[in-house]
Amino acid sequence: MTTTPTAGTRPDDVRRHNRAALLRRLHVHGPSTRASLATDLGLNRSTIKALVDGLAEDGLVEERVPAQRSGAGRPSLLVLPQPQAAVVLAIDIRVERAGMALVGIGGEILGRGGWNIRSTTNDPREVFTKIVDTAGPLIDELGVHPVAAGVSVPGVVRHQDGFVHEAPNLHWTDIPLGAWLSRALQLPVHMGNDAELGALAEHLRGVARGYDDLVYISAEVGVGGGVISNGVSMRGAGGHHVGEVGHMVVRPQGRQCYCGSHGCWETEVGERALARALGLDEDSPVGAIVHELRLLSANGEAPGELAEFTDWLALGLGNVVNLLCPQLVVLGDLFTALPPALVEHVERTVRERSLVSRALAGTRVATSALGTDAKLLGAAELAFETVLADG
Amino acid sequence: MTTTPTAGTRPDDVRRHNRAALLRRLHVHGPSTRASLATDLGLNRSTIKALVDGLAEDGLVEERVPAQRSGAGRPSLLVLPQPQAAVVLAIDIRVERAGMALVGIGGEILGRGGWNIRSTTNDPREVFTKIVDTAGPLIDELGVHPVAAGVSVPGVVRHQDGFVHEAPNLHWTDIPLGAWLSRALQLPVHMGNDAELGALAEHLRGVARGYDDLVYISAEVGVGGGVISNGVSMRGAGGHHVGEVGHMVVRPQGRQCYCGSHGCWETEVGERALARALGLDEDSPVGAIVHELRLLSANGEAPGELAEFTDWLALGLGNVVNLLCPQLVVLGDLFTALPPALVEHVERTVRERSLVSRALAGTRVATSALGTDAKLLGAAELAFETVLADG
């Protein structure tokens, strides 16, 4: 039950709001002419000029005469975000590997770091120490000053303070990683579930651009889901991510999952199941699995060899589509390497199985455009949300 | 990408917005003193007085000196919505029965009608004719003038125009029921999926008051789900309802469902499955099933007799909670009659099976407070949404 404030909106608020909207537009859509900014934001050209001048003074954008002139008359100046002017630190913690990047406004990756986790240890204190030890030199090397950090974790994360309730495949429980990192890095730290951030990245910069209702499926050792509904990340009770699809039970007579249930979707289509389906040892490295999948794709082979895996993938996705009604399902991580024929087969099956999909004339199933960078870029976008809102 | 209009908000808009907010508050929360309205809406008392005076002039509310005075000084006048001043026609189409009610502002049912469907026919044209033939006399008898109609259908419905894409248990496909009804009734007609409207009613007037993230499970011949997320009905692609939980596959080796899949949740826990579990013929009337359930409840019996049914119910609900992360799951329709011991057992199992539920210290599972009226009242609320917004 909200009410409009009886006092009119103050000019300062309007200016701040418009400045943030303009910056966000440049960040997401890239360089734009003043004329297209005016059209897209519904503001007049003198307002745009004043806003752009202000942003240019603060070094956040620069203006150039466009290389290609369209039509007669004075060309509209091209406004470009300046990547170095607002930089965030993005961190992607996975079961087997951690990745790190400094990302500038506009989404450009300015520099990267990373290390393997499984081969050493996934003790949370060691992961924390390694993050801090890697970030310092990377920041110094690039000579930038990040204004916030975003962190992706494969687990249940409390958004307010980055408290990790449970990251089962890392064996983490109740780890206040957000508090540790914000103290050590001296930055605002924003943390989220990995699949939720994968969905965010694909929505803003990947295959899901232009789709307002989508589900992203992460697929490593664990399988997870992230949901964008009506253009925003869908959160459930307590602000937690929705889409814990990996522990959806699809085969009650199936293998026991560490969570206590039998036949969770993760046990049927996760990394180990996919390795088994390919005739590999279930602890095979990701590289070996991807290599086998690429061979299958190159041979143009039908998905027959992976028939059972394909059936479980389609069955679980059918459930996801029935429950969440997306326009698009994005298959991430390992699934990015699935043979196109297999993905098409799954898409057809999902459409046949879902009542809503039939009504909608078909949910699309596509592989990730950002691949292994999806969660890293999603973590950056999470950090940018507040940075851009503050203009 | 939205921007605040540069022009300030006009006083007329503010007044209209506040009037709608006040009316909506009275509609949902019932009679309130001017003082509590001022506090709840964040408006000063003179603004409240002007708004209430306006609504009283239009006959939408009346004011009374409260029976019980609290404290010294002049008592704050009690403002009551006038049920007859804004009435909607609510229609609940089920597989076995259709119900109808005239509902006044404040949520009071002023009059009812209803008829059995299965025993005659569920031909959409006949259902349509019967609705129109029943509505006329009911409206005349009560001497009211409904301003809108809301309709609940167990299927996939297009919200814009009430086009029924598919109502599988009614065997309806592509029926423009909304267009037919709005022409015949000469009213704006708003239509929705039955489980979605059940969720809306429980959220506003039932066991889910105060819960912003909930899933309502409808259980007749078909099983469906309705989702309220962050306080509003969650819609997916194309504005369609989310939560088609009945066709979530939970037992791939199970019975064939009419939808083409095997072992849909609906085939394991729907009306027919529940009848079988109780040792009844699977086509037993609802009354017989409810009678058996009440006997079990009265005997205080443990859920042992329904052990397998209980397992499937818990398994499916665990999936629903994992995917949608609600604070509360409301069991509607037939499930309202489940023995309390069974519901408690299911709640415990769901909490153990859901990662997010563990982090949240437990999702609640409760039976509907509105029972068979949930969808009818939800249809009324759908119609009231625009009525109240227009003040």
Side-chain angles (χ1 to χ4, degrees):
Chain A
M1 203 101 341
T2 57
T3 54
T4 303
T6 39
T9 317
R10 287 178 309 161
D12 271 8
D13 293 340
V14 173
R15 202 184 123 78
R16 200 166 17 240
H17 180 95
N18 287 340
R19 178 182 157 114
L22 195 156
L23 203 53
R24 180 149 190 88
R25 204 193 174 291
L26 291 169
H27 173 67
V28 174
H29 297 276
S32 311
T33 62
R34 282 197 199 173
S36 64
L37 288 170
T39 308
D40 293 343
L41 298 175
L43 297 170
N44 64 44
R45 293 184 70 151
S46 63
T47 305
I48 291 289
K49 180 180 185 310
L51 291 170
V52 170
D53 286 350
L55 289 169
E57 259 170 49
D58 296 341
L60 287 161
V61 304
E62 65 163 4
E63 292 190 282
R64 283 199 211 138
V65 178
Q68 288 201 318
R69 291 185 49 160
S70 62
R74 200 151 53 90
S76 182
L77 285 171
L78 197 64
V79 186
L80 299 91
Q82 287 297 86
Q84 311 263 350
V87 175
V88 302
L89 177 67
I91 299 156
D92 174 21
I93 302 171
R94 296 169 171 249
V95 176
E96 305 185 336
R97 203 177 150 71
M100 181 181 285
L102 286 161
V103 180
I105 190 167
E108 193 184 324
I109 293 181
L110 306 172
R112 285 176 184 267
W115 62 95
N116 294 327
I117 289 189
R118 194 189 257 179
S119 58
T120 56
T121 167
N122 52 22
D123 177 75
R125 290 229 157 245
E126 291 195 29
V127 171
F128 158 70
T129 305
K130 186 79 182 166
I131 290 172
V132 177
D133 290 351
T134 310
L138 186 64
I139 291 168
D140 291 346
E141 185 193 322
L142 292 168
V144 293
H145 300 282
V147 290
V151 186
S152 165
V153 174
V156 181
V157 178
R158 190 163 64 204
H159 283 273
Q160 304 93 296
D161 59 358
F163 184 86
V164 181
H165 285 287
E166 199 165 351
N169 285 305
L170 287 167
H171 309 291
W172 290 6
T173 305
D174 296 343
I175 308 296
L177 184 63
W180 293 352
L181 285 174
S182 59
R183 206 175 310 129
L185 297 170
Q186 293 286 304
L187 287 175
V189 173
H190 306 277
M191 289 178 46
N193 168 266
D194 64 338
E196 180 184 12
L197 297 179
L200 182 63
E202 294 289 342
H203 177 54
L204 295 176
R205 308 201 175 277
V207 70
R209 281 182 91 136
Y211 287 84
D212 273 351
D213 295 283
L214 68 111
V215 177
Y216 171 91
I217 307 289
S218 68
E220 301 182 79
V221 175
V223 171
V227 184
I228 301 270
S229 173
N230 203 14
V232 294
S233 290
M234 187 190 163
R235 303 249 170 97
H240 288 290
H241 74 286
V242 301
E244 197 60 78
V245 299
H247 298 282
M248 165 175 69
V249 176
V250 292
R251 190 184 198 176
Q253 308 297 328
R255 287 168 187 254
Q256 173 140 32
C257 178
Y258 65 80
C259 80
S261 296
H262 283 81
C264 287
W265 198 35
E266 180 169 310
T267 64
E268 303 301 332
V269 302
E271 188 176 309
R272 290 192 183 110
L274 185 50
R276 287 195 306 269
L278 288 163
L280 299 172
D281 182 86
E282 73 169 17
D283 286 320
S284 299
V286 177
I289 299 173
V290 170
H291 178 74
E292 285 295 319
L293 289 173
R294 294 217 190 288
L295 282 180
L296 281 180
S297 303
N299 295 342
E301 232 152 311
E305 193 163 339
L306 292 173
E308 203 188 333
F309 168 88
T310 307
D311 284 347
W312 290 115
L313 183 61
L315 191 152
L317 285 181
N319 286 356
V320 168
V321 169
N322 268 320
L323 262 72
L324 292 161
C325 191
Q327 291 166 287
L328 171 67
V329 176
V330 181
L331 300 175
D333 297 320
L334 258 184
F335 291 165
T336 310
L338 291 173
L342 188 157
V343 175
E344 281 159 31
H345 176 82
V346 165
E347 184 181 66
R348 272 196 306 278
T349 310
V350 166
R351 288 181 182 187
E352 285 163 14
R353 295 279 172 82
S354 158
L355 289 181
V356 175
S357 187
R358 275 184 255 171
L360 288 170
T363 299
R364 223 189 118 201
V365 177
T367 49
S368 161
L370 306 171
T372 48
D373 274 348
K375 295 161 185 181
L376 192 64
L377 291 173
E381 292 305 327
L382 185 68
F384 269 122
E385 274 177 9
T386 42
V387 171
L388 294 172
D390 297 341
Chain B
M1 202 101 343
T2 56
T3 54
T4 302
T6 39
T9 318
R10 287 178 310 162
D12 269 8
D13 293 339
V14 172
R15 202 184 123 77
R16 202 166 16 242
H17 179 95
N18 288 340
R19 178 182 156 112
L22 196 155
L23 204 52
R24 183 153 185 84
R25 204 196 173 288
L26 291 169
H27 173 67
V28 174
H29 296 277
S32 310
T33 61
R34 283 197 197 170
S36 65
L37 289 170
T39 309
D40 293 343
L41 298 175
L43 297 170
N44 64 44
R45 293 184 71 152
S46 62
T47 305
I48 292 289
K49 181 179 183 312
L51 291 170
V52 170
D53 286 351
L55 289 169
E57 259 170 48
D58 296 341
L60 286 161
V61 304
E62 65 163 4
E63 292 191 282
R64 282 199 211 139
V65 178
Q68 287 200 319
R69 292 185 49 162
S70 61
R74 202 148 52 90
S76 182
L77 285 171
L78 197 64
V79 186
L80 300 90
Q82 286 298 85
Q84 312 264 347
V87 175
V88 302
L89 176 66
I91 299 156
D92 174 22
I93 301 171
R94 296 168 173 250
V95 176
E96 304 185 336
R97 202 177 152 70
M100 179 181 288
L102 286 161
V103 180
I105 188 167
E108 194 183 322
I109 293 181
L110 305 172
R112 286 176 184 267
W115 62 95
N116 294 326
I117 290 189
R118 194 190 258 176
S119 58
T120 56
T121 168
N122 51 24
D123 177 75
R125 288 231 159 244
E126 291 195 29
V127 171
F128 157 70
T129 306
K130 186 80 182 163
I131 289 172
V132 177
D133 289 351
T134 309
L138 186 65
I139 291 167
D140 292 345
E141 186 192 322
L142 292 168
V144 294
H145 300 282
V147 290
V151 186
S152 164
V153 174
V156 181
V157 179
R158 190 162 66 203
H159 284 273
Q160 304 94 291
D161 60 357
F163 184 86
V164 181
H165 285 287
E166 200 166 352
N169 286 306
L170 288 167
H171 309 292
W172 290 7
T173 305
D174 296 343
I175 308 296
L177 185 63
W180 294 351
L181 284 174
S182 59
R183 207 175 310 127
L185 297 170
Q186 293 287 303
L187 287 175
V189 173
H190 306 277
M191 289 178 46
N193 169 266
D194 63 338
E196 179 185 12
L197 297 180
L200 182 63
E202 294 290 343
H203 178 54
L204 295 176
R205 307 200 176 278
V207 71
R209 281 182 89 136
Y211 287 84
D212 274 352
D213 296 283
L214 67 114
V215 177
Y216 171 91
I217 307 289
S218 68
E220 302 181 79
V221 175
V223 171
V227 184
I228 301 271
S229 173
N230 204 14
V232 295
S233 290
M234 187 189 164
R235 304 250 170 94
H240 288 289
H241 75 284
V242 301
E244 197 59 79
V245 299
H247 298 282
M248 164 175 70
V249 176
V250 293
R251 191 183 197 176
Q253 307 298 328
R255 286 166 186 256
Q256 174 140 31
C257 179
Y258 65 82
C259 80
S261 295
H262 283 79
C264 287
W265 198 35
E266 181 168 309
T267 64
E268 302 301 333
V269 301
E271 188 176 307
R272 290 191 183 110
L274 185 50
R276 287 196 305 271
L278 288 163
L280 299 171
D281 183 86
E282 74 171 16
D283 286 318
S284 299
V286 177
I289 299 172
V290 170
H291 178 73
E292 285 296 319
L293 290 173
R294 294 218 191 288
L295 282 180
L296 281 179
S297 302
N299 295 342
E301 234 152 312
E305 193 163 340
L306 293 173
E308 202 187 333
F309 168 87
T310 307
D311 284 348
W312 290 116
L313 183 61
L315 191 153
L317 285 181
N319 286 357
V320 168
V321 169
N322 267 319
L323 262 72
L324 292 162
C325 192
Q327 291 166 286
L328 171 67
V329 176
V330 180
L331 300 176
D333 297 322
L334 257 183
F335 291 166
T336 309
L338 291 173
L342 188 157
V343 175
E344 282 159 30
H345 176 82
V346 164
E347 183 182 69
R348 272 196 306 279
T349 311
V350 166
R351 288 181 182 187
E352 285 164 14
R353 295 278 172 83
S354 157
L355 288 180
V356 175
S357 187
R358 274 185 255 173
L360 287 170
T363 299
R364 224 188 117 200
V365 177
T367 49
S368 161
L370 304 170
T372 48
D373 275 348
K375 295 159 185 182
L376 193 63
L377 292 173
E381 292 306 328
L382 185 68
F384 270 122
E385 274 176 10
T386 42
V387 171
L388 294 172
D390 297 341

